[in-house]
Amino acid sequence: MTKYILWRLAGSVPLVLGIATIIFFLVNLAPGDPTLLLLSPGMNQEVVEQMRANFGLDQPVYIRYVKWLGAMLTGDFGYSFSHSRPVLEVIKGVLPNTLILSAFALVIAFVTGIVLGTIQAVRQYSLMDSTMSVVLLFFYSMPSFWLALMLILSLSLYARNVWDWPIWFPASGMTGVDHEFLSFAGRIQDRVMHLVLPTLSLSLVLTAGIARYMRASMLEVVRQDFVRTAHAKGLPERVVVFKHALRNALIPIITLVGLYIPVLFSGTVFIEMIFAWPGMGRTLFDAIFQRDYPVVMAGTFFFALMVVTANLVADVLYAVVDPRIRYE
Amino acid sequence: MSAPILSVRDLRTWFYTDQGVAKAVDGVSFEVRLGETLGIVGESGCGKTVTSLSILGLLPQPPARIEEGSSIRFGGEELIGLEANKMRALRGNEISMIFQEPMSSLNPVYSVGNQIAEVLRLHRGMNKKQARAEAIRLLAEVGIPDPDRRVDEYPHQLSGGMRQRVMIAMALSCEPKLLIADEPTTALDVTIQAQILELLADLRGRHGMAVLLITHDLGVVAEVCDRVVVMYAGQVVETGTVYEIFADPKHPYTRGLLDSLPSIDNPGQRLTSIPGTVPTPTHWPAGCRFQERCAQAGDGCEVAQDLVALDGADRSARCWRSRP
């Protein structure tokens, strides 16, 4: 098992280097230049050239690439033009926020998706199954940014101002304005309340997809011979479903972890914009418009790194669930 | 003649499908006695597997339905309509079953030891440690070398023959009174087949259980069975001891089956075969169900035939030509 993990880890090193290279050339070969934003009308051409030289932009692209890669490998991602701070500091400030958001969304999506799909498969063709299919298809078809707006409208605005619900959820930020003055428990509650809507917006679409896959996978597995064997042993239905069928049905679902993580991260870009969530997605989005190359490159690189890590985790999960992979 | 442990009376298992009612098992009666091996023989689609699954109540209902008037009695207890929890207490405990495909009958994600121990913990109330020790003992009993190591292996690490041995160990774990073996050797190599049959015969002798062996292979029947039930198109067409069936088949279908076996006495001779295939269970032919494929069909075959008792204990056939 350890050998398997190390092998996979070694395999992802060239992958990460390749990604870094592609990111660098995509960003640097694109038209536009960070100095353009700093220019004032009527500025002297010499000053412009000086500014480009200061940023190192006067050198040919391949020299810049070697320097950038060398620096990056030592953990130096450069200096942000727009934040006027080292890029690593900028990323350090926002990365945990995105991780919290996506981790919650991911866990909730998979847990509820697996549970709902299993229930549907066990009660195939029942009223509950068909109702859930329709509801899930609805969420599956909706874009997450639209869902986010509808959630804000209903669970935040209307719940508070129109329906007078005792509970409603804040629609922006990670914390309330009074966060600093709350007790420890109060702060936790404040954070959780702020997490609800963005997490829901991100996870509902994924939940629906996972539940659909899970239902199909479970229906496939319960037809297998070993499920009949389990029944023939006299095991109760509960054990047959949750011990024998579920674990086999989970194998194809693990593929979805790797597939859905990029979807999730691109989702965070929209969701962080809508909910004013100070995360990587929003920072990256702003950096693109400010032509803040170092932040764009580092941000994209970190996203890529997280996708690679997630796929690694999916591969390890495969091995945990399926002994046939473990021994190859 | 010892007392019957299992007695099936007029079993009719029908499937309600979009194409109509498939009468897969249509009025089957037989009994299995203590300690004997009864073979059920027939082509694919004759209803022998559905019969065995009906006994354990393993068919999904719907689409399957066991019709009114059917009876399956096991040790004096009626199994049809038995409460689910009582049925579960019998399965794997008093009545065990092994299946055709050892490749897919074991769960690929659990070790074989885990799968055997599961039965012991469920029916015998053993704890983890006891169940594991007993699983190792069972693996040794079914002839698996190095059981201490094998107990922690997964099905994909074992050969087909080994997996079938594991299935047998699992089925025997609670000393069942009846073992149902549904084509236990069909998916195996010929040499492994012989070993598995030998193992089954040996274990039957040692544990004194009855075996219901379902097969299409008359060679297997000749080797291990005491009595034979021949099935065709959802019905029993002939019964008798192995000797009687092989020496003097009364029903043309049984004769056809025997003629299609290669014979060592006439090497190089072309094998005969029964023309056509088994009709579809949604539309059994009226009258004798075998008449379309029967070489001796004639007047009298258009009437549905009853199973008629012949000379000798348990000797019967469903053909008017065989009447005494």
Side-chain angles (χ1 to χ4, degrees):
Chain A
M1 189 72 177
T2 324
K3 202 178 144 196
Y4 172 83
I5 296 173
L6 287 176
W7 180 245
R8 284 294 152 115
L9 214 53
S12 44
V13 171
L15 182 66
V16 168
L17 283 178
I19 291 169
T21 308
I22 291 171
I23 292 171
F24 180 87
F25 284 104
L26 274 182
V27 171
N28 280 279
L29 295 178
D33 186 317
T35 54
L36 290 175
L37 283 179
L38 301 170
L39 296 178
S40 313
M43 213 180 232
N44 194 331
Q45 188 59 35
E46 272 169 42
V47 181
V48 175
E49 288 306 322
Q50 182 60 46
M51 211 182 260
R52 287 178 54 85
N54 286 351
F55 285 133
L57 293 172
D58 55 340
Q59 287 169 319
V61 72
Y62 56 88
I63 303 265
R64 280 190 276 151
Y65 168 68
V66 173
K67 281 189 170 172
W68 177 76
L69 197 65
M72 197 193 76
L73 291 177
T74 61
D76 177 8
F77 285 88
Y79 198 80
S80 162
F81 307 147
S82 62
H83 294 265
S84 301
R85 279 196 298 157
V87 172
L88 209 55
E89 263 181 44
V90 176
I91 304 266
K92 264 186 193 160
V94 292
L95 185 64
N97 300 340
T98 294
L99 284 181
I100 288 173
L101 184 58
S102 21
F104 268 89
L106 192 71
V107 169
I108 288 173
F110 272 89
V111 171
T112 49
I114 287 167
V115 170
L116 293 181
T118 307
I119 293 173
Q120 279 189 285
V122 172
R123 302 261 172 274
Q124 193 191 7
Y125 301 137
S126 67
L127 184 65
M128 183 162 56
D129 177 30
S130 9
T131 316
M132 275 163 66
S133 286
V134 173
V135 174
L136 290 173
L137 185 65
F138 172 80
F139 285 117
Y140 188 64
S141 325
M142 291 304 125
S144 56
F145 69 85
W146 180 84
L147 268 180
L149 294 175
M150 291 305 117
L151 285 173
I152 291 175
L153 199 65
S154 54
L155 296 182
S156 190
L157 186 71
Y158 276 42
R160 186 187 181 187
N161 297 340
V162 182
W163 302 328
D164 280 325
W165 281 8
I167 197 166
W168 52 272
F169 302 97
S172 82
M174 279 183 67
T175 52
V177 281
D178 55 350
H179 186 76
E180 298 298 317
F181 307 102
L182 295 171
S183 64
F184 181 71
R187 284 188 198 185
I188 301 267
Q189 196 200 351
D190 186 44
R191 291 237 171 203
V192 171
M193 294 297 272
H194 278 83
L195 256 175
V196 171
L197 292 187
T199 311
L200 266 185
S201 321
L202 266 179
S203 58
L204 271 175
V205 178
L206 298 185
T207 302
I210 294 161
R212 287 167 67 82
Y213 273 103
M214 188 64 197
R215 177 179 182 271
S217 173
M218 198 71 181
L219 287 175
E220 177 75 33
V221 169
V222 292
R223 288 208 318 262
Q224 305 275 317
D225 288 349
F226 60 79
V227 171
R228 191 180 54 188
T229 307
H231 279 294
K233 284 161 141 183
L235 295 169
E237 185 72 25
R238 175 173 41 86
V239 179
V240 175
V241 170
F242 289 106
K243 181 179 174 186
H244 287 273
L246 185 65
R247 189 148 165 195
N248 282 282
L250 281 178
I251 297 169
I253 299 303
I254 293 170
T255 316
L256 291 182
V257 176
L259 280 178
Y260 275 4
I261 292 259
V263 179
L264 187 71
F265 285 144
S266 51
T268 59
V269 178
F270 292 107
I271 297 301
E272 285 174 6
M273 293 303 291
I274 293 172
F275 289 96
W277 190 270
M280 283 275 286
R282 208 164 64 123
T283 308
L284 192 60
F285 188 81
D286 292 340
I288 290 169
F289 281 97
Q290 284 158 350
R291 304 257 157 76
D292 194 346
Y293 284 16
V295 173
V296 173
M297 289 190 290
T300 316
F301 179 73
F302 273 98
F303 268 133
L305 205 61
M306 288 192 286
V307 172
V308 172
T309 313
N311 277 291
L312 205 68
V313 171
D315 280 348
V316 173
L317 279 179
Y318 263 131
V320 169
V321 172
D322 192 346
R324 284 165 295 187
I325 291 171
R326 228 177 287 166
Y327 288 88
E328 266 164 29
Chain B
M1 198 195 297
S2 49
I5 174 98
L6 178 82
S7 117
V8 176
R9 284 278 156 266
D10 200 24
L11 177 67
R12 282 174 296 139
T13 308
W14 294 0
F15 291 82
Y16 291 80
T17 68
D18 295 340
Q19 285 81 44
V21 181
K23 300 176 178 177
V25 175
D26 198 17
V28 165
S29 302
F30 61 87
E31 53 191 36
V32 185
R33 297 178 193 126
L34 270 173
E36 79 166 346
T37 300
L38 175 73
I40 298 187
V41 192
E43 282 167 283
S44 309
C46 73
K48 52 197 197 303
T49 296
V50 173
T51 303
S52 66
L53 293 175
S54 300
I55 295 169
L56 273 180
L58 286 178
L59 289 167
Q61 304 188 24
R65 213 175 89 188
I66 295 180
E67 298 295 312
E68 287 290 315
S70 308
S71 161
I72 300 171
R73 296 185 78 81
F74 175 75
E77 192 171 20
E78 178 61 51
L79 297 188
I80 293 172
L82 191 67
E83 288 163 53
N85 58 340
K86 286 190 180 162
M87 193 71 211
R88 280 204 301 271
L90 285 179
R91 284 185 201 144
N93 190 15
E94 306 260 312
I95 309 175
S96 287
M97 187 156 180
I98 54 181
F99 299 98
Q100 181 172 356
E101 284 290 339
M103 299 294 162
S104 55
S105 293
L106 289 167
N107 194 328
V109 303
Y110 292 106
S111 69
V112 296
N114 181 331
Q115 295 184 57
I116 298 172
E118 188 177 41
V119 192
L120 294 163
R121 298 180 67 191
L122 177 75
H123 294 300
R124 290 283 188 87
M126 289 187 181
N127 64 32
K128 253 188 172 154
K129 228 176 125 187
Q130 292 169 324
R132 185 185 154 88
E134 178 66 8
I136 293 172
R137 194 193 66 73
L138 283 162
L139 287 177
E141 187 178 356
V142 296
I144 290 183
D146 206 359
D148 292 308
R149 197 167 55 81
R150 293 289 186 184
V151 73
D152 291 320
E153 293 199 341
Y154 291 88
H156 71 276
Q157 293 168 287
L158 304 175
S159 67
M162 286 289 182
R163 289 185 217 188
Q164 197 60 296
R165 282 173 195 267
V166 170
M167 281 299 289
I168 293 171
M170 208 154 78
L172 289 180
S173 56
C174 293
E175 305 255 333
K177 295 199 181 85
L178 174 67
L179 175 70
I180 302 174
D182 185 3
E183 307 247 7
T185 57
T186 307
L188 303 173
D189 293 345
V190 184
T191 46
I192 309 294
Q193 278 187 15
Q195 291 173 12
I196 295 288
L197 290 174
E198 215 167 286
L199 174 69
L200 277 177
D202 174 46
L203 292 169
R204 181 185 68 126
R206 221 178 312 156
H207 296 274
M209 62 186 173
V211 177
L212 178 60
L213 183 79
I214 289 153
T215 182
H216 65 261
D217 188 339
L218 285 167
V220 170
V221 169
E223 209 161 323
V224 294
C225 293
D226 301 314
R227 290 191 306 121
V228 185
V229 168
V230 183
M231 277 184 74
Y232 182 79
Q235 295 178 324
V236 174
V237 294
E238 184 163 359
T239 64
T241 63
V242 169
Y243 181 78
E244 288 165 341
I245 294 283
F246 275 80
D248 183 21
K250 293 293 188 193
H251 195 281
Y253 178 63
T254 316
R255 224 169 292 142
L257 284 181
L258 289 169
D259 287 343
S260 45
L261 284 177
S263 163
I264 201 159
D265 301 326
N266 306 308
Q269 197 185 38
R270 263 182 171 280
L271 291 178
T272 49
S273 63
I274 304 173
T277 52
V278 182
T280 54
T282 44
H283 298 94
W284 294 133
C288 173
R289 292 181 181 177
F290 186 59
Q291 57 175 314
E292 289 168 12
R293 302 172 70 189
C294 184
Q296 293 138 294
D299 298 339
C301 294
E302 61 275 7
V303 191
Q305 301 292 312
D306 288 328
L307 199 59
V308 176
L310 305 170
D311 286 346
D314 308 312
R315 191 87 177 101
S316 63
R318 196 185 284 274
C319 180
W320 60 272
R321 287 185 192 275
S322 65
R323 266 183 209 158

